[in-house]
Amino acid sequence: MPRPRRGGVAAALARSRLGVPQVVFFVLAAAAPMTVVASAVPTAYAVTGLSGVPVAYAATAAVMVVFAVGYVAMSRHVVNAGSMYSYVAHALGPACGVAAAFVAVVAYNLMQVGLYGAFGVVTAATVSAVAGVNLPWWVWALAGWLLVAVLGLARVDLNGRVLGVLLVAEITVVVVFDTIMATHPAAAGGLAVHGLAPGHLAVPGMAAILVGGIAGYVGVEATTVLAEETRDPRRTVAHATYTAIAVTAFLYAGSAWAMQTAAGPTQIIDAAARHGPELMFVLVDGHLPRLFVDVGRLLLVTSLFAALLAFHNMVARYLFALGREQVLPAALGRTHGRTGAPRLGSLAQTGVAGLTIAGYALAGLDPVVHLFFWLTVTGGLGVLILMTATSLAVLAYFRHDRRGESRWSTAVAPGVALNLLVFILGGTLIGFGDLLNTPPGSPARWALPGLYAAAVTAGLVWATVLHRTRRHVYATVGAGADAATRSTTQSTPAARKEIRR
């Protein structure tokens, strides 16, 4: 495909720059395994008071695999940086597609911006402990923000290499720590097989861990966001998706089991409540050189940075896809003339993040609770909504024509995934205030999930405006790279049906 005119709307992102390893690096970086292992796993033990955390993470991985079956099947027929919203548009119509797009932009922005709170606090604590330099959290958050802004405009394969180096080091440390914990069980506990028993899944309160587990896997669904920039989208997306799920499942469930083994099945809950994110480092301290433990703490900082960069790229590509199709201002569909990166989409996300960091700093709000925890949990809710809608879209897309795919890929697995995700989504919405740990009267209990009600409403209203005033744009919602060249008569099947109404 010829390169787009400089300054114009690009028909496509830079092609053939990513293979399976680079895509896996991106999505695993977004999942932030070191952050989940060090923070989310101890929190799950401490908050729920349940010892079935290892089997819960394994069960959540099974849900992700079932979801991925239909998701990957559809990726072979729809290639678009807009990913899930594009699938919804193709199957359920442009109006639903625009609503899903607005949900996606809100969700991934919340995930990305929220991470700056944890990054600033963890970096400040690490630098203070190692170098004795004490600076406010927002100084380090802005330093990370500036570096992400620069890398966001670089070639996507450069981003992949940066993430690859950080991720390999991060996973290596987690595996070493897990090995040490598993081979040094608590004196009276032995190997903690108790936490792997399937019976834990029926225990009251397990739904909270499953919801948190889904949030831990957020990022692995983003393989399709990079599909346009891969060398072979049909093979790369499938291999990268399943690889990412397998690696994260091994790290999350394995680390939860190793911590339980090292602390003891009866002591793990108290230990998690006492030490929090330091639990993993406390359990290996004394069995490894102090330098290696300190390196692990440093890699928690780089894990957060890698997640920031990965989510930044996701948001930029969603905005690019919407600009290319002129659902949002066409300027967002422009790419950098030299690197092929989505220029204005990247700059727009950088602007949102910078203003948010500044706002939280000036207001004196807690960067961990109000910025990191609240926003990332709410972002995870949005991704869960998107996954549920996508499973429905897969069923609708293949309803009359399997397009060479198996019945398992087009009906059975998506149907099972839809039911599981609806169950988890319902439990999340009902207990959202408890997930945020807010008092009963707190407006955050309804205001934060209400962002998605507002996003869906705005999307449907905007779709109606497009249908009435710019039908050529409405007809190509979700069309991806073809949006720049397709005519109304060549638009998606769902769009043609609605246009004729």
Side-chain angles (χ1 to χ4, degrees):
M1 180 174 292
R3 289 184 63 82
R5 174 176 58 84
R6 186 178 180 87
V9 175
L13 292 160
R15 300 283 193 180
S16 302
R17 286 187 173 172
L18 299 177
V20 173
Q22 289 91 346
V23 175
V24 170
F25 291 154
F26 266 105
V27 298
L28 285 182
M34 184 76 170
T35 301
V36 173
V37 167
S39 301
V41 171
T43 299
Y45 278 122
V47 172
T48 65
L50 300 175
S51 57
V53 175
V55 72
Y57 273 107
T60 307
V63 174
M64 294 298 298
V65 168
V66 175
F67 165 76
V69 172
Y71 188 60
V72 167
M74 195 156 181
S75 75
R76 288 191 279 265
H77 303 274
V78 180
V79 178
N80 189 345
S83 185
M84 287 192 277
Y85 100 78
S86 178
Y87 298 173
V88 172
H90 274 76
L92 305 178
C96 291
V98 175
F102 282 30
V103 169
V105 170
V106 172
Y108 285 117
N109 261 299
L110 288 174
M111 293 293 295
Q112 203 273 347
V113 172
L115 285 168
Y116 279 109
F119 178 81
V121 170
V122 171
T123 304
T126 301
V127 173
S128 176
V130 174
V133 176
N134 295 294
L135 292 173
W137 71 269
W138 54 267
V139 173
W140 297 109
L142 288 175
W145 167 80
L146 182 60
L147 186 54
V148 168
V150 173
L151 288 174
L153 294 174
R155 285 170 55 107
V156 69
D157 48 341
L158 173 61
N159 279 251
R161 287 193 290 271
V162 170
L163 292 176
V165 171
L166 296 178
L167 193 66
V168 168
E170 180 181 335
I171 291 176
T172 300
V173 168
V174 171
V175 171
V176 170
F177 281 17
D178 286 352
T179 302
I180 294 298
M181 290 187 289
T183 54
H184 293 81
L191 294 177
V193 295
H194 172 73
L196 297 171
H200 287 291
L201 297 174
V203 174
M206 183 54 65
I209 300 181
L210 292 175
V211 170
I214 290 288
Y217 287 97
V218 168
V220 300
E221 84 291 343
T223 50
T224 55
V225 175
L226 300 166
E228 289 186 33
E229 297 162 275
T230 61
R231 301 184 185 101
D232 183 356
R234 292 179 65 87
R235 292 180 64 256
T236 300
V237 170
H239 292 172
T241 300
Y242 290 121
T243 300
I245 294 174
V247 171
T248 49
F250 172 77
L251 293 175
Y252 297 168
S255 296
W257 168 78
M259 287 182 194
Q260 190 173 122
T261 296
T266 59
Q267 291 83 33
I268 180 62
I269 295 170
D270 289 339
R274 185 165 60 254
H275 298 293
E278 281 289 301
L279 178 63
M280 180 171 66
F281 305 110
V282 169
L283 292 175
V284 300
D285 198 11
H287 301 296
L288 287 171
R290 175 54 64 89
L291 177 61
F292 199 88
V293 177
D294 289 340
V295 168
R297 289 189 171 93
L298 178 61
L299 285 172
L300 179 55
V301 174
T302 63
S303 171
L304 286 163
F305 176 78
L308 284 168
L309 182 58
F311 276 115
H312 175 91
N313 278 283
M314 289 183 207
V315 174
R317 279 152 180 78
Y318 262 98
L319 293 175
F320 165 84
L322 292 168
R324 174 176 59 190
E325 295 172 9
Q326 298 181 51
V327 173
L328 292 181
L332 291 170
R334 294 174 181 153
T335 58
H336 194 287
R338 180 172 53 84
T339 66
R343 182 177 56 192
L344 291 184
S346 181
L347 291 174
Q349 204 288 321
T350 296
V352 170
L355 290 173
T356 304
I357 294 169
Y360 271 77
L362 291 172
L365 295 173
D366 188 323
V368 173
V369 175
H370 300 124
L371 181 54
F372 170 63
F373 187 64
W374 282 16
L375 295 198
T376 56
V377 168
T378 307
L381 171 63
V383 176
L384 181 56
I385 293 170
L386 286 172
M387 290 172 61
T388 306
T390 300
S391 292
L392 178 60
V394 172
L395 289 171
Y397 185 76
F398 292 109
R399 181 177 53 192
H400 299 301
D401 184 358
R402 293 184 195 167
R403 304 169 191 265
E405 304 288 346
S406 68
R407 179 175 174 78
W408 164 251
S409 299
T410 59
V412 179
V416 172
L418 178 62
N419 282 280
L420 291 172
L421 291 169
V422 166
F423 173 77
I424 296 173
L425 178 59
T428 303
L429 292 173
I430 291 171
F432 196 72
D434 296 329
L435 286 174
L436 295 182
N437 197 27
T438 57
S442 172
R445 297 173 70 95
W446 55 265
L448 290 174
L451 291 173
Y452 296 114
V456 170
T457 301
L460 294 175
V461 169
W462 183 238
T464 301
V465 172
L466 293 176
H467 183 250
R468 292 180 178 177
T469 62
R470 300 167 64 194
R471 290 200 170 197
H472 64 288
V473 172
Y474 183 83
T476 54
V477 171
D482 293 336
T485 56
R486 282 187 180 185
S487 66
T488 300
T489 58
Q490 295 172 311
S491 58
T492 64
R496 291 200 299 269
K497 289 180 182 178
E498 293 205 20
I499 287 291
R500 288 195 294 267
R501 291 177 182 175

